[in-house]
């Protein structure tokens, strides 16, 4: 398998964790999202992923974008360890947490959005970072309430083994810290992140451990 990845990409980070948890070997194909105006915009990469985004997984004849779709594909083709619960209600809860992170929080703070704010709308650095922190506070605030108040929350987002939800949480916490967001209002999320960081699969997926890390 090949994974087209950028070391700081939250979406690629999710997939790296999944591959590591399942013990699947893969080759990293770096796609730098900043250098040269963004290597993801080059015609050669658009042939791989027309949306010009990372990650992209190539597995034999299959080429697949979108991190959550990739992770569910890996979970179905390599079922152990499972990243979704066995029961329908549990799967729905895990997906709800994952989608809150991947669809409600992450897109508003994605690199291309921040670049548009800065370069096209001429927002200054302070205002751009304020935008980032505002949406982190809004999104993580709701998620903290969801997890802290649920008996289904265990050591991890759902129970005592990592799921798709944790794979989405950890990269978002990493980026929040990178932008100096105050996480003191989210003790449940910080606790779960620490539990994940104790596992080698999460450690090895960290941005600073990638071959293209700067």
């Amino acid at each position: 398998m090949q994974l087209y990845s950028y070391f700081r990409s939250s979406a690629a980070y999710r997939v790296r964790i999944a591959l590591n948890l399942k013990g699947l070997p893969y080759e990293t194909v770096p796609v730098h999202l900043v250098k040269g105006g963004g290597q993801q915009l080059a015609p050669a990469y658009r042939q791989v992923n027309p949306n010009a985004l990372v990650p992209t997984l190539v597995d034999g004849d299959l080429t697949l974008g979108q991190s959550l779709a990739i992770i569910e594909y890996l979970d179905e083709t390599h079922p152990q360890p499972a990243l979704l619960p066995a029961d329908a209600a549990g799967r729905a809860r895990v997906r709800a947490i994952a989608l809150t992170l991947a669809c409600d929080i992450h897109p508003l703070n994605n690199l291309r959005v921040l670049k548009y704010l800065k370069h096209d709308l001429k927002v200054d650095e302070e205002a751009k970072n304020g935008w980032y922190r505002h949406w982190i506070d809004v999104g993580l605030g709701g998620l903290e309430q969801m997890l802290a108040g649920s008996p289904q929350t265990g050591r991890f987002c759902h129970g005592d083994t990592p799921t798709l939800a944790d794979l989405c949480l950890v990269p978002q916490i990493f980026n929040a810290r990178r932008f100096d967001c105050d996480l003191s209002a989210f003790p449940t999320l910080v606790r779960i992140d620490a539990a994940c960081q104790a596992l080698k699969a999460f450690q090895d997926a960290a941005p600073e451990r990638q071959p293209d890390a700067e």
Side-chain angles (χ1 to χ4, degrees):
M1 279 187 281
Q2 291 180 314
L3 180 68
Y4 289 80
S5 175
Y6 176 57
F7 73 107
R8 281 202 187 116
S9 163
S10 295
Y13 192 171
R14 299 167 194 153
V15 175
R16 294 195 302 261
I17 298 168
L19 288 163
N20 291 348
L21 282 170
K22 291 181 177 292
L24 298 173
Y26 66 95
E27 174 193 357
T28 298
V29 183
V31 181
H32 203 291
L33 301 187
V34 179
K35 285 182 180 176
Q39 294 175 353
Q40 75 278 15
L41 302 175
Y45 184 66
R46 283 188 181 272
Q47 291 293 315
V48 177
N49 187 329
N51 290 318
L53 296 169
V54 295
T56 303
L57 181 77
V58 177
D59 184 18
D61 294 333
L62 175 71
T63 299
L64 186 62
Q66 290 297 335
S67 61
L68 270 61
I70 293 170
I71 293 167
E72 292 217 28
Y73 165 75
L74 293 172
D75 209 37
E76 291 177 11
T77 55
H78 301 84
Q80 297 301 323
L83 298 177
L84 286 165
D87 62 300
R91 289 195 300 274
R93 180 175 183 268
V94 166
R95 288 187 175 114
I97 297 167
L99 291 169
T100 296
L101 290 154
C103 298
D104 292 345
I105 302 173
H106 178 236
L108 288 166
N109 293 326
N110 200 10
L111 177 62
R112 60 180 179 172
V113 171
L114 299 180
K115 287 175 67 176
Y116 183 78
L117 286 171
K118 183 175 181 179
H119 298 297
D120 293 79
L121 299 185
K122 308 303 180 185
V123 170
D124 64 32
E125 192 72 12
E126 183 178 355
K128 184 197 76 173
N129 290 340
W131 164 283
Y132 190 102
R133 292 172 187 140
H134 170 76
W135 293 115
I136 284 291
D137 287 343
V138 170
L140 293 188
L143 192 60
E144 171 71 22
Q145 187 175 356
M146 182 193 308
L147 295 185
S150 174
Q152 295 172 303
T153 303
R155 183 183 176 201
F156 299 99
C157 288
H158 187 86
D160 294 325
T161 56
T163 65
L164 174 63
D166 303 286
L167 274 57
C168 293
L169 176 65
V170 166
Q172 194 62 70
I173 296 293
F174 170 84
N175 277 338
R177 288 186 171 126
R178 192 163 71 90
F179 278 82
D180 295 322
C181 297
D182 181 4
L183 299 179
S184 60
F186 319 122
T188 307
L189 305 185
V190 171
R191 174 186 64 75
I192 293 170
D193 175 71
C196 292
Q197 298 294 352
L199 301 179
K200 189 174 186 299
F202 285 83
Q203 295 168 8
D204 290 346
E208 65 272 14
R209 296 199 178 186
Q210 303 317 299
D212 57 329
E214 298 174 348

